[in-house]
Amino acid sequence: MREETDKAVNQQVISVWVRDPRIRKNDFWHAYIDYEICLHTTSVCFTKKISSVRRRYSEFVWLRQKLQANSLLLVQLPELPPKNPFFSLNNAQQITERMKGLQKFLEQTLQSPLLLSDSCLHLFLQSQLSISKMEACAAGRTHYSVAQAVQRCGLRRFHSEEDLQKDLSMSCDSDSDSSCLYHSSSECRDPELQIKDLAINKSESTALLDLMGTRQEATLSSSCGSI
Protein backbone atom coordinates (compact mmCIF):
# COMPACT_ATOMS: atom_id res chain seq x y z
CA MET A 1 0.00 0.00 0.00
CA ARG A 2 2.87 2.35 0.90
CA GLU A 3 4.58 1.56 -2.42
CA GLU A 4 1.42 2.44 -4.33
CA THR A 5 1.14 5.76 -2.47
CA ASP A 6 4.78 6.64 -3.16
CA LYS A 7 4.35 5.71 -6.80
CA ALA A 8 1.27 7.94 -7.10
CA VAL A 9 3.14 10.88 -5.56
CA ASN A 10 6.09 10.38 -7.87
CA GLN A 11 3.78 10.39 -10.88
CA GLN A 12 2.40 13.80 -10.00
CA VAL A 13 3.59 16.51 -12.34
CA ILE A 14 4.55 20.09 -11.46
CA SER A 15 5.55 22.19 -14.45
CA VAL A 16 6.57 25.81 -14.01
CA TRP A 17 7.68 28.45 -16.51
CA VAL A 18 9.04 31.94 -16.07
CA ARG A 19 8.36 33.97 -19.19
CA ASP A 20 7.14 37.22 -20.74
CA PRO A 21 9.33 39.87 -19.04
CA ARG A 22 7.69 43.30 -19.01
CA ILE A 23 8.93 46.69 -17.96
CA ARG A 24 6.79 48.43 -15.34
CA LYS A 25 7.23 52.13 -14.72
CA ASN A 26 6.43 53.55 -11.30
CA ASP A 27 7.34 57.08 -12.26
CA PHE A 28 9.66 58.98 -14.58
CA TRP A 29 12.81 57.78 -12.80
CA HIS A 30 11.91 54.34 -11.47
CA ALA A 31 11.09 51.20 -13.42
CA TYR A 32 11.46 47.46 -12.93
CA ILE A 33 10.79 44.20 -14.77
CA ASP A 34 8.32 41.56 -13.70
CA TYR A 35 7.87 38.08 -15.12
CA GLU A 36 4.91 35.80 -15.67
CA ILE A 37 5.00 32.57 -13.68
CA CYS A 38 2.86 29.84 -15.22
CA LEU A 39 2.13 26.69 -13.26
CA HIS A 40 0.55 23.46 -14.52
CA THR A 41 0.30 20.60 -12.03
CA THR A 42 -1.47 17.40 -11.09
CA SER A 43 -0.05 17.50 -7.56
CA VAL A 44 -2.47 17.27 -4.65
CA CYS A 45 -0.31 19.85 -2.88
CA PHE A 46 -1.81 22.60 -5.04
CA THR A 47 -5.34 23.91 -4.78
CA LYS A 48 -5.21 25.32 -8.30
CA LYS A 49 -3.93 23.13 -11.10
CA ILE A 50 -3.40 25.97 -13.58
CA SER A 51 -2.32 29.44 -12.58
CA SER A 52 -0.50 32.53 -13.80
CA VAL A 53 0.89 35.40 -11.74
CA ARG A 54 3.49 38.11 -12.24
CA ARG A 55 6.47 38.58 -9.89
CA ARG A 56 9.60 40.73 -9.83
CA TYR A 57 13.13 39.79 -8.83
CA SER A 58 12.91 41.30 -5.33
CA GLU A 59 9.92 39.06 -4.58
CA PHE A 60 11.96 36.00 -5.55
CA VAL A 61 14.62 37.15 -3.08
CA TRP A 62 11.96 37.43 -0.36
CA LEU A 63 10.61 33.96 -1.18
CA ARG A 64 14.01 32.31 -0.87
CA GLN A 65 14.66 33.99 2.47
CA LYS A 66 11.27 32.90 3.84
CA LEU A 67 11.64 29.32 2.62
CA GLN A 68 15.10 29.07 4.13
CA ALA A 69 13.90 30.42 7.48
CA ASN A 70 10.73 28.33 7.57
CA SER A 71 12.56 25.09 6.73
CA LEU A 72 14.85 25.62 9.75
CA LEU A 73 17.85 25.02 7.48
CA LEU A 74 16.75 21.44 6.89
CA VAL A 75 16.80 22.06 3.14
CA GLN A 76 19.56 23.62 1.10
CA LEU A 77 17.70 25.94 -1.23
CA PRO A 78 18.87 26.48 -4.81
CA GLU A 79 20.50 29.78 -5.60
CA LEU A 80 18.86 32.69 -7.38
CA PRO A 81 20.62 34.42 -10.24
CA PRO A 82 22.95 36.92 -8.55
CA LYS A 83 21.94 40.55 -8.17
CA ASN A 84 23.81 42.51 -10.81
CA PRO A 85 24.56 46.17 -9.92
CA PHE A 86 24.94 46.84 -13.64
CA PHE A 87 21.67 45.15 -14.62
CA SER A 88 20.00 47.12 -17.41
CA LEU A 89 16.35 47.09 -18.42
CA ASN A 90 17.54 47.61 -21.98
CA ASN A 91 19.89 44.62 -22.04
CA ALA A 92 17.99 41.69 -23.55
CA GLN A 93 20.75 39.19 -22.77
CA GLN A 94 20.82 40.10 -19.09
CA ILE A 95 17.04 39.84 -18.87
CA THR A 96 17.04 36.45 -20.58
CA GLU A 97 19.75 35.07 -18.30
CA ARG A 98 17.95 36.29 -15.19
CA MET A 99 14.67 34.79 -16.41
CA LYS A 100 16.33 31.41 -16.99
CA GLY A 101 17.89 31.55 -13.54
CA LEU A 102 14.55 32.33 -11.90
CA GLN A 103 12.90 29.39 -13.66
CA LYS A 104 15.69 27.04 -12.60
CA PHE A 105 15.29 28.23 -9.01
CA LEU A 106 11.56 27.44 -9.01
CA GLU A 107 12.01 24.09 -10.74
CA GLN A 108 14.51 22.94 -8.11
CA THR A 109 12.48 24.38 -5.23
CA LEU A 110 9.36 22.51 -6.31
CA GLN A 111 11.23 19.20 -6.10
CA SER A 112 11.33 19.39 -2.30
CA PRO A 113 8.34 17.85 -0.47
CA LEU A 114 9.14 19.93 2.62
CA LEU A 115 9.07 23.22 0.71
CA LEU A 116 5.82 22.23 -1.02
CA SER A 117 4.10 22.46 2.37
CA ASP A 118 5.15 26.09 2.87
CA SER A 119 2.29 28.59 2.64
CA CYS A 120 4.58 31.34 1.37
CA LEU A 121 5.48 29.29 -1.68
CA HIS A 122 1.82 28.77 -2.57
CA LEU A 123 0.96 32.42 -2.08
CA PHE A 124 3.94 33.46 -4.19
CA LEU A 125 3.05 31.12 -7.04
CA GLN A 126 -0.74 31.32 -7.03
CA SER A 127 -1.80 34.70 -5.67
CA GLN A 128 -0.82 38.24 -6.53
CA LEU A 129 -0.58 39.48 -2.94
CA SER A 130 2.26 41.83 -2.04
CA ILE A 131 5.09 40.68 0.22
CA SER A 132 3.55 42.26 3.32
CA LYS A 133 0.17 40.64 2.67
CA MET A 134 1.72 37.25 1.90
CA GLU A 135 3.51 37.40 5.25
CA ALA A 136 0.33 38.42 7.06
CA CYS A 137 -1.75 35.73 5.37
CA ALA A 138 0.79 32.97 6.03
CA ALA A 139 0.90 34.04 9.70
CA GLY A 140 -2.91 33.95 9.98
CA ARG A 141 -3.27 37.70 10.42
CA THR A 142 -5.79 38.20 7.59
CA HIS A 143 -9.52 37.57 7.44
CA TYR A 144 -8.92 35.17 4.55
CA SER A 145 -6.95 31.93 4.64
CA VAL A 146 -4.10 30.90 2.35
CA ALA A 147 -6.46 28.65 0.37
CA GLN A 148 -8.97 31.47 -0.02
CA ALA A 149 -6.28 33.89 -1.18
CA VAL A 150 -5.18 31.39 -3.79
CA GLN A 151 -8.69 30.57 -4.95
CA ARG A 152 -9.99 34.13 -5.15
CA CYS A 153 -7.30 35.40 -7.52
CA GLY A 154 -8.36 34.45 -11.01
CA LEU A 155 -11.64 32.64 -10.39
CA ARG A 156 -14.00 35.31 -11.67
CA ARG A 157 -14.37 37.86 -14.43
CA PHE A 158 -14.88 41.48 -13.40
CA HIS A 159 -17.41 43.47 -15.38
CA SER A 160 -16.82 46.89 -13.86
CA GLU A 161 -14.12 48.83 -12.08
CA GLU A 162 -16.33 48.90 -8.99
CA ASP A 163 -16.45 45.09 -8.90
CA LEU A 164 -12.70 44.94 -9.36
CA GLN A 165 -11.91 47.35 -6.55
CA LYS A 166 -14.38 45.64 -4.23
CA ASP A 167 -12.73 42.26 -4.64
CA LEU A 168 -9.23 43.66 -4.42
CA SER A 169 -10.05 45.35 -1.12
CA MET A 170 -11.34 42.07 0.28
CA SER A 171 -8.63 39.61 -0.64
CA CYS A 172 -5.86 40.90 -2.86
CA ASP A 173 -3.28 43.61 -2.65
CA SER A 174 -3.87 46.66 -4.81
CA ASP A 175 -0.57 48.51 -4.52
CA SER A 176 1.73 49.27 -7.44
CA ASP A 177 3.75 46.07 -7.09
CA SER A 178 0.85 43.68 -7.38
CA SER A 179 -2.78 43.35 -8.30
CA CYS A 180 -5.10 40.51 -9.17
CA LEU A 181 -5.06 41.47 -12.82
CA TYR A 182 -4.26 38.93 -15.47
CA HIS A 183 -3.78 39.33 -19.18
CA SER A 184 -6.29 37.18 -21.02
CA SER A 185 -3.81 36.70 -23.83
CA SER A 186 -1.16 35.20 -21.54
CA GLU A 187 -1.51 31.46 -22.05
CA CYS A 188 0.53 29.08 -19.88
CA ARG A 189 2.54 27.38 -22.55
CA ASP A 190 6.14 26.16 -22.77
CA PRO A 191 8.16 29.39 -23.18
CA GLU A 192 10.73 29.96 -25.88
CA LEU A 193 12.63 32.17 -23.47
CA GLN A 194 12.59 35.11 -25.81
CA ILE A 195 12.32 38.76 -24.88
CA LYS A 196 9.17 40.40 -26.13
CA ASP A 197 6.66 43.07 -25.30
CA LEU A 198 9.09 45.21 -23.30
CA ALA A 199 7.30 48.45 -24.11
CA ILE A 200 6.25 50.48 -21.10
CA ASN A 201 2.50 50.68 -20.74
CA LYS A 202 1.37 53.15 -18.10
CA SER A 203 -2.29 52.25 -18.48
CA GLU A 204 -1.93 48.56 -17.60
CA SER A 205 -2.27 49.11 -13.86
CA THR A 206 -5.74 50.62 -14.24
CA ALA A 207 -7.14 48.72 -17.19
CA LEU A 208 -9.88 46.19 -16.63
CA LEU A 209 -8.17 43.01 -17.71
CA ASP A 210 -9.62 39.59 -18.14
CA LEU A 211 -8.88 37.24 -15.26
CA MET A 212 -8.11 33.60 -15.57
CA GLY A 213 -11.55 32.43 -14.52
CA THR A 214 -12.30 30.90 -17.88
CA ARG A 215 -9.08 28.94 -17.69
CA GLN A 216 -9.52 27.69 -14.14
CA GLU A 217 -10.39 24.08 -13.40
CA ALA A 218 -13.83 23.56 -11.92
CA THR A 219 -12.68 21.27 -9.13
CA LEU A 220 -10.23 21.98 -6.36
CA SER A 221 -8.10 19.18 -4.91
CA SER A 222 -7.12 18.94 -1.29
CA SER A 223 -3.84 20.66 -0.44
CA CYS A 224 -0.95 19.48 1.70
CA GLY A 225 0.87 20.91 4.67
CA SER A 226 -0.51 24.14 6.02
CA ILE A 227 -2.56 24.91 2.90
Side-chain angles (χ1 to χ4, degrees):
M1 188 67 172
R2 175 64 180 274
E3 292 181 357
E4 293 180 358
T5 302
D6 292 341
K7 183 178 180 181
V9 171
N10 291 333
Q11 289 177 341
Q12 295 176 2
V13 176
I14 305 176
S15 298
V16 65
W17 301 282
V18 179
R19 60 180 295 277
D20 191 21
R22 297 187 181 185
I23 295 177
R24 307 295 187 182
K25 189 169 183 178
N26 288 333
D27 52 44
F28 185 80
W29 297 105
H30 300 93
Y32 63 91
I33 292 180
D34 65 11
Y35 309 84
E36 183 183 29
I37 302 174
C38 288
L39 182 73
H40 286 183
T41 183
T42 60
S43 172
V44 296
C45 292
F46 288 88
T47 300
K48 285 204 279 192
K49 306 309 180 186
I50 300 174
S51 63
S52 172
V53 298
R54 300 197 69 86
R55 295 292 183 189
R56 56 189 295 187
Y57 179 79
S58 60
E59 292 175 306
F60 277 87
V61 174
W62 169 85
L63 174 65
R64 189 180 188 280
Q65 292 173 344
K66 293 297 292 186
L67 292 177
Q68 192 71 80
N70 293 345
S71 66
L72 301 177
L73 303 179
L74 296 176
V75 177
Q76 181 61 44
L77 266 78
E79 296 295 329
L80 287 168
K83 187 174 180 63
N84 182 358
F86 303 104
F87 185 83
S88 172
L89 301 184
N90 298 317
N91 191 317
Q93 182 177 356
Q94 289 181 341
I95 295 173
T96 299
E97 290 303 314
R98 172 170 286 187
M99 185 167 56
K100 290 179 179 179
L102 295 176
Q103 176 165 323
K104 183 178 180 181
F105 166 77
L106 288 180
E107 288 174 341
Q108 295 177 351
T109 297
L110 290 171
Q111 293 176 8
S112 169
L114 177 60
L115 298 180
L116 282 175
S117 67
D118 195 299
S119 298
C120 291
L121 178 63
H122 288 259
L123 290 169
F124 176 88
L125 290 173
Q126 296 197 305
S127 82
Q128 202 66 65
L129 298 179
S130 67
I131 287 177
S132 61
K133 290 201 172 183
M134 283 191 287
E135 290 182 341
C137 185
R141 299 196 304 268
T142 56
H143 65 273
Y144 47 87
S145 66
V146 173
Q148 288 172 333
V150 168
Q151 293 169 9
R152 288 185 70 93
C153 286
L155 283 182
R156 57 169 292 186
R157 184 190 303 270
F158 295 101
H159 298 287
S160 70
E161 186 173 0
E162 181 180 355
D163 289 340
L164 175 60
Q165 295 301 328
K166 180 179 178 181
D167 192 87
L168 289 178
S169 66
M170 291 179 61
S171 64
C172 299
D173 183 59
S174 58
D175 63 18
S176 60
D177 280 350
S178 60
S179 64
C180 285
L181 300 180
Y182 293 90
H183 297 275
S184 60
S185 60
S186 296
E187 297 296 335
C188 294
R189 57 183 181 277
D190 194 358
E192 299 177 356
L193 296 176
Q194 297 178 344
I195 303 301
K196 61 180 181 178
D197 298 331
L198 286 179
I200 298 174
N201 188 341
K202 295 183 180 179
S203 64
E204 285 185 355
S205 62
T206 57
L208 294 178
L209 302 178
D210 193 355
L211 301 187
M212 290 179 62
T214 56
R215 292 183 290 155
Q216 198 61 52
E217 292 191 356
T219 58
L220 300 173
S221 301
S222 59
S223 56
C224 66
S226 60
I227 304 304

